């Protein structure tokens, strides 16, 4: 759905709202299940509540590796999105235009290659992800029995909310004996880039590298500026790509 209102020849307001989806791939749905091992140093939060406590060194459920299951998940749902934009364009004089558009994007049901093992076995979040842990049906001493497998198949997990402002400013000079000059500035200012965490809260990842392995670095501001000179068959352009600084991960 889009709306456009132009109250005068040099002023325009616009807005839009839409939805989208991305179906899971055949690989994500039907890739055969295969066993594997978790990284070393993992502990069962129920059978080893204190990996550093007395007797933990003799407990086979402390600081160990667990069998995991990789593969497709036929119960996956499509990723879904909602996007909204509101903005306008102003042309104060001939050859000059300034545009700005606010945007908001909400991504849900993101497909992930399994919940991280450390998150599943974290005592603070284990209750949320206990359904991904399979245990022996019976064992000496009674329940909870040892872990036999941890589900690492593809899963719909989490939500991402992105909000920002796109800007576009242009100037075109009249043609003169020395040619014509054009100036351009386009850029995006990210207000927020929030990623849902395992406990359900949201954390921001603008101008830092903490989420970079998954999404890449999102700078607070990035832009392209250019100055172009035209004269007959000749054109020369001086351009600059810029992005603001970010906090690195040590």
């Amino acid at each position: 759905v889009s709306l456009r209102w132009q109250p005068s020849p040099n002023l325009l307001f616009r807005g839009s709202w839409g939805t989208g989806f991305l179906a899971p791939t055949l690989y994500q749905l039907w890739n055969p299940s295969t066993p594997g091992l978790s990284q070393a140093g993992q502990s069962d939060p129920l059978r080893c509540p204190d990996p550093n406590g007395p007797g933990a060194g003799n407990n086979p459920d402390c600081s160990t590796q667990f069998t995991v299951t990789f593969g497709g998940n036929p119960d996956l749902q499509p990723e879904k999105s909602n996007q909204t934009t509101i903005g306008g364009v102003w042309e104060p004089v001939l050859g000059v235009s300034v545009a700005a558009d606010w945007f908001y994007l909400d991504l849900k049901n993101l497909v992930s290659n399994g919940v991280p093992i450390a998150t599943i076995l974290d005592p603070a979040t284990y209750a949320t992800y206990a359904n991904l842990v399979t245990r022996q049906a019976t064992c000496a001493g009674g329940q909870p029995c040892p872990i036999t497998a941890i589900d690492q198949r593809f899963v719909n997990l989490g939500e991402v909310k992105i909000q920002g402002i796109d800007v576009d400013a242009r100037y075109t000079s009249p043609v003169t004996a020395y040619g014509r000059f054009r100036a351009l500035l386009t850029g995006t200012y990210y207000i927020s880039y929030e990623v849902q965490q395992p406990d359900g809260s949201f954390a921001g990842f603008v101008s830092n590298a903490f989420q970079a392995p998954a999404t890449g670095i999102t700078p607070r501001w990035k832009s392209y500026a250019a100055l172009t000179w035209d004269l007959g068959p000749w054109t020369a352009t001086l351009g600059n790509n810029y992005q603001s600084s970010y906090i690195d991960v040590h």
Side-chain angles (χ1 to χ4, degrees):
V1 177
S2 63
L3 295 174
R4 172 190 171 111
W5 180 47
Q6 190 167 0
S8 66
N10 63 344
L11 184 61
L12 168 70
F13 295 101
R14 58 194 178 190
S16 66
W17 177 83
T19 62
F21 74 94
L22 177 64
T25 66
L26 293 177
Y27 178 84
Q28 293 170 337
L29 288 169
W30 305 112
N31 185 43
S33 296
T34 56
L37 284 175
S38 71
Q39 61 269 40
Q42 303 299 316
S43 299
D44 184 337
L46 300 185
R47 294 175 60 88
C48 178
D50 184 5
N52 299 315
N58 298 320
N59 187 340
D61 298 298
C62 295
S63 300
T64 185
Q65 290 178 286
F66 297 102
T67 300
V68 298
T69 302
F70 301 105
N73 181 357
D75 295 324
L76 284 177
Q77 299 298 311
E79 297 181 353
K80 296 182 179 181
S81 67
N82 290 293
Q83 53 272 352
T84 304
T85 64
I86 300 173
V89 182
W90 179 45
E91 297 181 352
V93 296
L94 184 65
V96 176
S97 69
V98 179
D101 292 276
W102 170 83
F103 64 86
Y104 176 75
L105 177 62
D106 187 5
L107 305 171
K108 298 180 179 179
N109 285 347
L110 298 179
V111 176
S112 173
N113 190 10
V115 180
I117 297 292
T119 300
I120 296 175
L121 299 180
D122 187 335
T125 55
Y126 177 78
T128 301
Y129 301 106
N131 62 304
L132 300 177
V133 177
T134 302
R135 298 180 178 273
Q136 289 180 202
T138 60
C139 59
Q143 297 288 346
C145 292
I147 294 174
T148 57
I150 300 176
D151 193 343
Q152 285 286 276
R153 296 178 301 163
F154 288 100
V155 64
N156 292 108
L157 179 69
E159 182 178 359
V160 174
K161 300 178 180 180
I162 306 171
Q163 183 179 182
I165 299 174
D166 289 326
V167 297
D168 186 303
R170 300 171 185 264
Y171 168 72
T172 302
S173 75
V175 177
T176 69
Y178 302 100
R180 182 178 64 182
F181 294 91
R182 290 177 286 139
L184 165 70
L185 172 65
T186 61
T188 300
Y189 179 85
Y190 284 95
I191 299 172
S192 61
Y193 192 121
E194 298 182 328
V195 179
Q196 191 173 28
Q197 302 303 292
D199 62 359
S201 64
F202 285 85
F205 293 100
V206 175
S207 294
N208 64 64
F210 300 126
Q211 189 74 0
T215 64
I217 294 170
T218 302
R220 180 68 68 184
W221 168 258
K222 62 179 181 181
S223 63
Y224 173 73
L227 180 63
T228 301
W229 169 70
D230 301 310
L231 180 62
W234 295 94
T235 298
T237 299
L238 177 64
N240 172 260
N241 286 295
Y242 173 82
Q243 74 172 32
S244 58
S245 61
Y246 63 89
I247 298 174
D248 207 346
V249 177
H250 298 287

